[in-house]
Amino acid sequence: MVSRRDFFRNAGVVTAAVSAASVSRVAMAALPEPVLQTTPDTGAPLLPETGRPYNPVVTLNGWTLPWRMNQGVKEFHLVAEPVVRELAPGMKAHLWGYNGQSPGPTIEVVEGDRVRVFVTNKLPEHTSIHWHGQRLPNGMDGVAGLNQKSIQPGKTFVYEFVARRPGTFMYHPHADEMTQMAMGMMGFWITHPKAKHPLISTVDRDFCFLLNAFDIDPGTATPKIMTMLNFNLWCWNSRVFPGIDTLNVRKNDKVRIRVGNLTMTNHPIHLHGHEFHVTGTDGGPTPISSRWYEVTTDIAVGQMRQIEFLADEEGDWAFHCHKSHHTMNAMGHEVPTMIGVDHRSVSRKITKLVPDYMVMGERGMADMAEMEMPLPDNTIPMMTGEGPFGGVEMGGMFSVVKVRKNQKPGDYSNPGWYQHPRGEVAFEWTGALPEPARFAAEGGQSMPRKKPSPPAEVTVRKPTGHSEH
């Protein structure tokens, strides 16, 4: 963990002056200086030096916004602005965000804190901020036109309210929401309990991240804001695999992970090797009687789910969305399925005209990762990642929970690949194989069809080697 003073010294964190037309120089001097983040790295947990104590969170590929105390009020400064975000090494996107990054920084407070947030608009259009899930005065809810005037470009507004209840919340614009959220404007808000809470456990590691998505054509850098469902980059905190950091924990740590969904669809988030409880939602901690062990929890649009588990199994455990297309990058949605299609004769003819032509997809999509095809600029492979045993063939919403007995308390560094004990890795069998028993019956039907169909003939083309590829 780092102190507030050391936080400012860390690489990638800078302070910047803000010019706001609505705030005089005298008033600007009264504002907390905005802190900007220039890298997509996972920041260390920020220990509170002022205000009431709490155990801070770690934002995956993100950071916590520093604050100042002003006569008992905790003050933050958010700057809405265009940003350049690295989605993964080899690809950057032109987004909108807060304080230099998308998503914006995590805000951490304690139940009962009076909070004052200055919001400066450096966007080319008006904006606002909605404090998703919070109990607050109606005029602080952030819906432009309904609860407040919109924040015009160059202006600074102030939101002030008491953090009434502990939990995990989000913030995002409620002005031209389709555009601004599609461009990456969102962030997390954590309200820690002020005292020991019967439904909120003490944990050793506390992570959080947002689910978001973009539709960025290969070779380009700006999201298409009119896309409703066919996104091609599914992100955790505006990062895609292999650019998402791993979650590194000590064996037998009690781990909490808070996940908020601000995409346009649901996400079944799945953890390998462990069972967890869902211990919280946007509405607060869940009753003990409502919890059961799970390995997957579905997070709907606009929801947050908080899971907790005991990390008692060493290893490198996959952690991902279980919608398979959400663990891929730069997808082409109109690509036909070519599995089993024999197009060798067509391939020979095309090769005479295009010598470098490659047949793709007749054995599956792994061809695209194996052949390392050239890509347009600023584009990452659809499936990628190199593990200790070869290609991982993943993308999008995929990371790894690394559990190690030698990971020191408070150490969030990557311990490297897991060293498996002898005899605990699947291996190729080279001995004799018995003839497999095959299912002979085709099954019945509830009743005869009115007009029986002629029997269908299907030829199975079994895969061969890499010939003619």
Side-chain angles (χ1 to χ4, degrees):
M1 297 184 182
V2 296
S3 68
R4 189 171 185 271
R5 184 182 300 108
D6 291 337
F7 184 88
F8 285 99
R9 295 174 181 166
N10 288 346
V13 179
V14 298
T15 58
V18 174
S19 174
S22 63
V23 183
S24 69
R25 289 188 177 182
V26 174
M28 283 298 296
L31 291 178
E33 192 172 19
V35 181
L36 309 182
Q37 177 64 273
T38 61
T39 75
D41 300 332
T42 298
L46 183 59
L47 275 173
E49 287 189 350
T50 57
R52 288 178 287 188
Y54 57 84
N55 293 320
V57 300
V58 171
T59 305
L60 196 64
N61 291 104
W63 56 298
T64 291
L65 184 63
W67 67 91
R68 74 175 184 190
M69 295 300 296
N70 185 357
Q71 298 182 353
V73 180
K74 188 171 283 187
E75 293 185 334
F76 298 87
H77 195 167
L78 287 173
V79 180
E81 60 184 350
V83 302
V84 175
R85 174 72 167 181
E86 182 188 73
L87 302 185
M91 183 176 185
K92 294 182 178 180
H94 295 298
L95 305 178
W96 290 358
Y98 300 95
N99 297 59
Q101 290 292 312
S102 165
T106 297
I107 294 175
E108 294 187 73
V109 302
V110 177
E111 177 189 7
D113 280 352
R114 174 164 286 278
V115 182
R116 183 178 297 136
V117 184
F118 297 89
V119 179
T120 298
N121 183 8
K122 286 190 172 183
L123 298 172
E125 70 167 356
H126 63 261
T127 189
S128 72
I129 292 191
H130 167 59
W131 312 100
H132 186 109
Q134 300 268 15
R135 288 261 185 163
L136 38 60
N138 186 240
M140 296 291 171
D141 195 43
V143 181
L146 176 65
N147 307 125
Q148 66 168 85
K149 293 181 178 180
S150 59
I151 309 172
Q152 296 299 318
K155 303 290 186 179
T156 294
F157 271 44
V158 182
Y159 296 86
E160 186 169 335
F161 52 91
V162 174
R164 297 189 193 176
R165 61 186 180 91
T168 308
F169 310 102
M170 299 175 275
Y171 63 86
H172 60 80
H174 230 299
D176 193 10
E177 187 174 338
M178 181 192 73
T179 297
Q180 296 185 15
M181 291 185 68
M183 290 292 287
M185 296 189 70
M186 57 193 68
F188 246 131
W189 175 301
I190 310 293
T191 300
H192 298 279
K194 63 183 178 182
K196 188 173 178 61
H197 194 289
L199 299 178
I200 302 176
S201 303
T202 300
V203 296
D204 301 294
R205 314 260 172 164
D206 198 339
F207 298 92
C208 68
F209 60 90
L210 286 165
L211 309 177
N212 57 339
F214 302 108
D215 185 12
I216 302 177
D217 285 334
T220 68
T222 303
K224 295 190 290 185
I225 62 171
M226 301 301 289
T227 297
M228 296 184 66
L229 294 175
N230 285 339
F231 297 91
N232 63 3
L233 291 165
W234 299 95
C235 307
W236 288 1
N237 263 25
S238 296
R239 295 281 281 183
V240 295
F241 181 80
I244 301 172
D245 285 345
T246 54
L247 294 82
N248 310 310
V249 307
R250 179 181 173 89
K251 186 179 179 182
N252 292 322
D253 273 352
K254 187 166 185 180
V255 181
R256 174 184 294 136
I257 305 176
R258 313 167 191 242
V259 186
N261 179 11
L262 289 176
T263 72
M264 302 278 275
T265 188
N266 64 305
H267 297 278
I269 300 299
H270 174 56
L271 174 64
H272 292 211
H274 297 80
E275 306 84 30
F276 58 75
H277 284 144
V278 175
T279 59
T281 71
D282 314 63
T286 57
I288 300 294
S289 60
S290 72
R291 302 175 187 179
W292 66 87
Y293 284 108
E294 262 295 1
V295 297
T296 304
T297 185
D298 195 42
I299 308 176
V301 179
Q303 288 186 339
M304 189 284 303
R305 289 293 178 267
Q306 173 183 292
I307 68 172
E308 294 178 18
F309 64 96
L310 181 67
D312 57 356
E313 294 285 351
E314 273 201 289
D316 293 336
W317 301 105
F319 182 44
H320 58 94
C321 177
H322 218 293
K323 288 186 175 181
S324 57
H325 281 188
H326 294 180
T327 53
M328 301 169 71
N329 297 321
M331 295 175 292
H333 296 281
E334 306 302 324
V335 177
T337 300
M338 302 299 290
I339 294 175
V341 176
D342 185 356
H343 44 0
R344 285 173 291 186
S345 61
V346 174
S347 176
R348 283 192 291 267
K349 295 175 182 177
I350 295 176
T351 304
K352 292 179 181 179
L353 300 174
V354 185
D356 293 331
Y357 174 75
M358 294 184 295
V359 173
M360 300 298 295
E362 72 175 12
R363 297 180 300 123
M365 299 306 290
D367 285 347
M368 302 187 73
E370 293 173 3
M371 294 184 181
E372 298 183 354
M373 297 175 61
L375 297 169
D377 292 340
N378 198 44
T379 302
I380 52 179
M382 183 171 68
M383 300 186 299
T384 185
E386 190 69 19
F389 299 100
V392 178
E393 297 174 356
M394 284 285 161
M397 295 177 164
F398 181 91
S399 187
V400 178
V401 175
K402 296 194 170 189
V403 182
R404 299 290 189 277
K405 64 181 178 182
N406 295 325
Q407 194 85 358
K408 295 180 180 179
D411 179 10
Y412 290 86
S413 62
N414 190 329
W417 298 118
Y418 179 58
Q419 301 301 310
H420 299 268
R422 185 178 178 84
E424 292 189 4
V425 176
F427 60 94
E428 180 183 3
W429 175 259
T430 57
L433 294 174
E435 185 65 24
R438 299 190 182 277
F439 184 67
E442 291 296 337
Q445 57 190 33
S446 59
M447 61 185 68
R449 291 182 60 176
K450 187 174 181 179
K451 293 183 179 180
S453 300
E457 294 293 335
V458 178
T459 301
V460 177
R461 181 169 180 251
K462 296 184 178 181
T464 57
H466 287 264
S467 60
E468 300 189 29
H469 278 248

